[in-house]
Amino acid sequence: MNQAETTNIGDVPAETTGATGLRGCWLLKSAKAMKLGKHAEGGIHYQILTDNQRHDPSFKIVGNEGGGYFSKEVIAFGNVESCLTAHPQDQPFPSKLLQTAFTGRSSNNAGFLAAILRAEGLLALAPDTEGRHVMSGDWAAWKASVLAEPGRLLESEPVSKEEKAEDKEASTPSADEKDPPRRVKK
């Protein structure tokens, strides 16, 4: 049930394979992980990405069946590993331990990432504890395996912060183009 369902890259909508936050980005895998909550329905659609050097894979949540907010940021695998380094490897932990991998503040981020990690075989349900996880699988082997995937180069490059600021200034109407002020009720 928590097994990742790999989909053909052609099945992923174009808007989810565009700007990912990485320059020269490679889409290595698109998949779906089932949500982990007791009453949760549907799944989480995600991508595994990497840069041209293929040093570190990254995760990106691109869709959520059944609703709920999430951050569409790219999360480096190294950041996920950093979340768990201080925690004893044989001890169960809650999803919220993964929250620091994100800069976004959605309360769903950590749980959705835990679902992805379970689907990839990197986490497992902790025995005798509800809603907790334990590390499983060989993380180094998983990383090497996913980075060896041929993938597909994503042609769309993200806009830098400076370019976004320039675009915003350029799109601001001049004084001549602005709408006349609205009347104020008396």
Side-chain angles (χ1 to χ4, degrees), residues 19-177:
T20 60
L22 298 174
R23 291 205 182 267
C25 181
W26 286 83
L27 174 61
L28 302 176
K29 180 178 181 179
S30 291
K32 176 180 155 183
M34 297 311 295
K35 291 181 183 177
L36 302 177
K38 227 191 294 191
H39 304 289
E41 294 180 11
I44 304 301
H45 294 269
Y46 65 98
Q47 296 174 333
I48 300 177
L49 310 158
T50 192
D51 61 5
N52 279 331
Q53 291 74 35
R54 292 183 178 244
H55 292 300
D56 198 24
S58 298
F59 299 101
K60 182 177 181 187
I61 302 170
V62 294
N64 174 14
E65 297 172 354
Y69 293 108
F70 61 93
S71 298
K72 292 184 178 182
E73 63 194 275
V74 176
I75 305 301
F77 183 63
N79 290 354
V80 175
E81 290 176 307
S82 294
C83 291
L84 301 173
T85 55
H87 190 78
Q89 191 169 359
D90 59 337
Q91 295 296 312
F93 60 90
S95 297
K96 68 181 179 180
L97 189 64
L98 300 169
Q99 189 64 40
T100 58
F102 292 86
T103 55
R105 299 199 185 271
S106 172
S107 60
N108 294 325
N109 287 342
F112 290 174
L113 181 57
I116 292 167
L117 295 173
R118 282 224 202 147
E120 291 296 320
L122 300 172
L123 294 182
L125 176 64
D128 304 324
T129 59
E130 189 175 322
R132 302 253 172 170
H133 319 282
V134 291
M135 292 178 67
S136 68
D138 183 340
W139 286 47
W142 176 87
K143 180 178 175 180
S145 166
V146 77
L147 289 174
E149 291 290 325
R152 183 182 97 193
L153 181 63
L154 299 178
E155 296 175 14
S156 166
E157 289 189 9
V159 178
S160 71
K161 290 178 186 175
E162 294 158 355
E163 291 169 333
K164 284 181 185 176
E166 288 173 11
D167 289 347
K168 188 175 180 182
E169 290 172 10
S171 67
T172 303
S174 67
D176 297 335
E177 298 172 330

Side-chain angles (χ1 to χ4, degrees), residues 9-21:
I9 291 174
D11 296 339
V12 178
E15 65 270 14
T16 63
T17 60
T20 60

